[in-house]
Amino acid sequence: HAQWSTTMMAVPVPALATVMLLAAMAAALPTHRDTGAAADPWTCDPIQPDFCGFPFPSDFYLSEADGQGRRHVNITKDAVPKDIDGQGFDVNNAGFPELDGFSPMPVIQVFFRDLDTAGMANWTNPELSLLPTSPTLLINTATGQPVAHWVELDISAELAKHPAQALLMYPAVRLNDTTRYVVGFRNLKDTSGHTISASTAFQALRDNLPSADPTVLARRARFAEDVFRVLVASGVQQPELTLAWDFTVSSTKAQTGFLLSMRDDAMQRIAQRGGIEYRILQRKENPRDNIARELRGLMRVPWYLNQVEPGVGTRLVRDPSKPWTADNNGDGWVAFEILIPSSLANGTKRGAIMQYGHGLFGSAGEINTGYLDAEANERGYVLAATNWLGMSYEDEVFVALMMASDLSNFPMVPERSHQGLLNALLLMELVSSDKFINDPAMQFNGSAVVNPEQRYYYGNSQGGIFGTVYMAITQSVKRGVIGVGGGPYGLLLPRSSDFAALFDVLRVRYPEHLDRIFLLSLLQALWDKAEPAGYLHHISKEPLPNTPVHTILAHYGLGDEQVSNLGTMAMARSVGATMFASNVRQRNESLWGFPKVADTVVIEGEGNHVVQGWNFGAPPIPVGNVPPADHGIHEKPRRSPQAQQQTYEFLVSGRVSNFCHGPCNE
């Protein structure tokens, strides 16, 4: 099983294949949509009759506990939009029955026609949602406390003035696993100042009115106790509610079980073998300035996918008797790349291992970048990288094909990414092993150049996003730098220029904008098991079993066109990151939720995370969920001398200083 390519260059986005698919679809797809009629009353929640699937997420789509005490997401195929060709969404193929709840970082979606959002918190001031007069509410039922959040109308369809826009609510911090939350909206008005009426079904629940709807009758007692009681206890007058419902966050096991089972099983297998088998296939001496040696090789790793090559049918191998556990399917050979800087070539000192995580649809070859060469040479880093399977250049065409043909094959992305994340963990195990360190290919003048006690992670873009997952599950690395990363994807994608081409695929297949934004929120629950939403709190707050506490430093640039600053904020707030008091701002944002310290303070200590932003002069990001203009911001923080100096100090000592000595304006 070989995951090797002699072409280690990233494929640009959009890929030629994506463009060709778009053209073919535009020519081939019909211009009608047959939604059909759902016979099952539990297909669409009547409390939100305008759009089937809303409100979402909702325990309307969560089963009662089965004989093993497990609940299941049981959204039906008729609740999910059909594409323009009438093709439905196979919820079983997508894996929804395997879920026992919803995303801990959901994009909560609802619809009110011609809604006036005045007085609602937006991304610049989520603290307004905590005011007793807030028209929007999100309550943790375990604590009874409100959760800060912000809302916006969906403008991702370029329909800023369209009256039929979804209202999107984003928790300002990650929600708690296996916890129920109540969502409420009260005293809503339309843009003409008229009161928005509650639906007939919701009025029947709220006011205890007669109803013939079986879903109302079945839920009346539960809504009274589990929804309205919670809101009234928070100071809400029940008659003022326009809409309210509840949803339950999935369990830790459902989110992390597959990846943890793979990690633990793989480590046991490797220990039994006496280490990771590897082969050095290419060795180049002095390939360019700052680099003394470049190595390319293969390592043999335990494999947990049903196939080796990428494809829409890629899935983890499962044993139905072991929920949320991946089964081994033999071994695979995985490509890796090593760069040894010139500063270590005399064999008189050893350098730290810096594992690098590449960007979207890129490759391990991203370490062959001028700024990294210079940084590695100056700081004495031995760079190591492997491809993020699932989100590498090998996967791009198949992701486009999935988007263009059948979204229910979406699990190919997070499940193949599990193998990619495992491969990254195993690369660090290999590079820090005695056998590898003492390989002649890793020595100069008969001396080793790697210090196995200094193991660090550094990733940018997709490498920053996946880097948070890596830093939650690694047993070998305790400090990592997250460059221009964030999450969740449901927040990031509509705001990313990288997603524009794939969003065009969705526009062709799903002309109705409510369908598109609903699908992105629906897929978030499938993505959680391989993206920040499922792992942020495990970095330090709640370490996973047999896993140490980790510490991260996060960098971002105002106006980032690829990974939204809002995703960085959500990530950083969720891990409890600290900011320097002078941190840059845009649109008068409050930067709520971050402890602030003076610029002269040195932040240190295990689990004391830091986030720092840079202002490179780009305009502020848009108010709505569309990408900002491209000013090249995404590439700039990693090249800032102050960011590189801060990175070095943090990695080697665990200390974080503000080397900008004030706002980081460049």
Side-chain angles (χ1 to χ4, degrees):
H1 295 184
Q3 294 295 318
W4 173 259
S5 172
T6 55
T7 304
M8 299 295 288
M9 299 299 292
V11 180
V13 178
L16 177 60
T18 306
V19 177
M20 292 174 65
L21 280 166
L22 281 170
M25 290 170 58
L29 291 177
T31 57
H32 70 277
R33 178 167 180 250
D34 179 16
T35 56
D40 184 353
W42 292 93
T43 294
C44 309
D45 192 341
I47 68 172
Q48 178 78 98
D50 297 284
F51 182 78
C52 188
F54 282 6
F56 189 84
S58 170
D59 279 358
F60 181 84
Y61 294 116
L62 192 64
S63 74
E64 296 299 324
D66 62 18
Q68 286 74 45
R70 287 178 54 195
R71 304 181 74 181
H72 307 269
V73 172
N74 64 351
I75 189 167
T76 68
K77 63 180 180 62
D78 292 324
V80 184
K82 295 179 173 67
D83 71 7
I84 196 171
D85 202 23
Q87 177 177 311
F89 184 96
D90 188 336
V91 294
N92 293 317
N93 181 49
F96 279 98
E98 198 170 56
L99 303 177
D100 62 359
F102 302 96
S103 176
M105 297 184 79
V107 180
I108 300 167
Q109 302 187 343
V110 69
F111 173 76
F112 302 105
R113 190 170 297 277
D114 197 26
L115 175 67
D116 183 0
T117 59
M120 299 182 184
N122 60 47
W123 62 260
T124 69
N125 52 19
E127 66 274 16
L128 295 186
S129 66
L130 300 176
L131 295 177
T133 56
S134 174
T136 64
L137 302 109
L138 181 60
I139 308 295
N140 180 328
T141 65
T143 65
Q145 295 301 306
V147 177
H149 59 274
W150 54 277
V151 301
E152 65 183 359
L153 291 170
D154 173 35
I155 64 168
S156 64
E158 296 86 33
L159 294 168
K161 296 184 179 180
H162 196 290
Q165 294 171 282
L167 182 68
L168 312 178
M169 174 188 286
Y170 305 86
V173 296
R174 185 192 188 278
L175 304 180
N176 297 333
D177 295 348
T178 324
T179 301
R180 192 170 59 84
Y181 291 82
V182 170
V183 184
F185 296 90
R186 58 179 170 178
N187 299 324
L188 299 186
K189 306 283 187 181
D190 64 22
T191 56
S192 298
H194 301 128
T195 298
I196 294 178
S197 299
S199 67
T200 300
F202 185 72
Q203 287 183 52
L205 289 167
R206 182 192 66 189
D207 303 333
N208 201 26
L209 299 176
S211 175
D213 191 306
T215 69
V216 171
L217 299 175
R219 292 184 290 168
R220 194 185 294 277
R222 196 181 75 77
F223 258 64
E225 178 66 19
D226 294 345
V227 177
F228 299 133
R229 182 186 59 81
V230 171
L231 290 166
V232 169
S234 297
V236 175
Q237 301 297 313
Q238 192 164 317
E240 68 185 1
L241 286 167
T242 309
L243 187 63
W245 75 95
D246 62 349
F247 69 91
T248 302
V249 174
S250 61
S251 67
T252 300
K253 183 74 171 176
Q255 296 167 40
T256 66
F258 286 110
L259 190 51
L260 275 186
S261 71
M262 292 167 62
R263 182 198 72 179
D264 293 345
D265 183 72
M267 294 300 179
Q268 183 178 20
R269 290 174 184 273
I270 288 166
Q272 291 170 349
R273 297 173 186 174
I276 299 174
E277 182 182 350
Y278 68 94
R279 302 170 185 168
I280 302 298
L281 300 183
Q282 294 181 8
R283 173 172 167 172
K284 293 181 181 179
E285 304 295 333
N286 302 307
R288 57 189 176 275
D289 290 347
N290 295 313
I291 300 300
R293 185 175 296 160
E294 175 186 348
L295 302 175
R296 292 183 181 182
L298 296 174
M299 62 178 178
R300 181 186 172 201
V301 302
W303 202 258
Y304 298 87
L305 298 173
N306 62 345
Q307 60 190 59
V308 176
E309 300 302 326
V312 295
T314 302
R315 297 292 188 277
L316 291 168
V317 177
R318 291 164 165 80
D319 180 344
S321 68
K322 299 181 289 186
W324 304 306
T325 301
D327 271 8
N328 179 258
N329 191 27
D331 292 330
W333 286 93
V334 175
F336 65 87
E337 186 160 349
I338 306 289
L339 295 180
I340 302 173
S342 301
S343 59
L344 300 179
N346 59 15
T348 61
K349 63 178 180 178
R350 295 189 177 203
I353 306 167
M354 176 184 274
Q355 179 155 8
Y356 185 77
H358 68 72
L360 179 66
F361 296 136
S363 75
E366 192 174 306
I367 61 174
N368 295 288
T369 307
Y371 83 93
L372 274 176
D373 289 351
E375 190 173 1
N377 191 45
E378 180 181 358
R379 310 296 186 184
Y381 302 139
V382 176
L383 296 173
T386 188
N387 295 341
W388 289 125
L389 299 193
M391 297 293 280
S392 75
Y393 76 99
E394 302 172 83
D395 300 284
E396 183 177 11
V397 169
F398 297 98
V399 172
L401 179 61
M402 175 271 295
M403 298 279 287
S405 59
D406 187 354
L407 277 179
S408 70
N409 279 320
F410 176 77
M412 61 170 279
V413 178
E415 299 203 8
R416 188 163 148 87
S417 296
H418 275 60
Q419 187 70 50
L421 285 158
L422 176 65
N423 295 346
L425 295 179
L426 296 179
L427 178 60
M428 179 57 78
E429 295 300 310
L430 171 65
V431 179
S432 59
S433 68
D434 288 342
K435 182 179 179 181
F436 193 83
I437 290 171
N438 292 308
D439 189 300
M442 293 296 295
Q443 295 183 335
F444 286 84
N445 300 323
S447 297
V449 297
V450 169
N451 180 351
E453 301 303 315
Q454 292 184 302
R455 301 182 297 269
Y456 310 130
Y457 177 83
Y458 179 40
N460 280 291
S461 192
Q462 184 67 47
I465 295 169
F466 274 5
T468 61
V469 182
Y470 179 98
M471 289 304 300
I473 62 174
T474 175
Q475 297 168 304
S476 300
V477 179
K478 292 189 176 182
R479 291 194 286 272
V481 175
I482 306 301
V484 291
Y489 280 111
L491 167 62
L492 295 177
L493 291 182
R495 291 177 152 85
S496 174
S497 60
D498 278 346
F499 186 62
L502 293 177
F503 206 41
D504 284 342
V505 176
L506 286 184
R507 285 189 177 93
V508 173
R509 292 193 63 202
Y510 299 93
E512 297 294 330
H513 56 284
L514 289 175
D515 289 350
R516 291 194 298 272
I517 203 68
F518 171 63
L519 285 166
L520 289 181
S521 180
L522 186 69
L523 296 178
Q524 179 63 51
L526 300 174
W527 220 331
D528 290 337
K529 59 181 181 283
E531 75 114 74
Y535 294 86
L536 290 174
H537 61 311
H538 296 307
I539 293 175
S540 65
K541 292 181 180 179
E542 300 173 25
L544 291 164
N546 303 311
T547 311
V549 170
H550 308 92
T551 312
I552 63 171
L553 166 65
H555 291 156
Y556 70 99
L558 297 184
D560 193 314
E561 70 281 0
Q562 295 184 39
V563 177
S564 173
N565 302 153
L566 304 186
T568 307
M569 296 294 100
M571 172 199 74
R573 274 194 299 262
S574 296
V575 300
T578 296
M579 275 183 175
F580 291 106
S582 65
N583 196 80
V584 295
R585 302 170 188 251
Q586 56 192 331
R587 296 194 183 278
N588 296 316
E589 61 183 319
S590 65
L591 296 179
W592 176 87
F594 295 101
K596 312 291 195 308
V597 299
D599 292 327
T600 55
V601 171
V602 176
I603 304 167
E604 57 186 325
E606 194 174 67
N608 288 334
H609 315 290
V610 180
V611 59
Q612 182 143 10
W614 269 257
N615 182 357
F616 297 100
I621 61 174
V623 173
N625 59 337
V626 293
D630 188 349
H631 293 278
I633 301 301
H634 191 65
E635 295 289 327
K636 292 184 176 180
R638 69 193 78 176
R639 290 171 168 80
S640 163
Q642 290 80 12
Q644 292 181 4
Q645 189 175 5
Q646 188 181 64
T647 292
Y648 177 72
E649 181 191 52
F650 167 68
L651 291 178
V652 300
S653 71
R655 297 158 57 90
V656 180
S657 303
N658 182 4
F659 288 102
C660 298
H661 307 294
C664 292
N665 296 314
E666 294 190 19

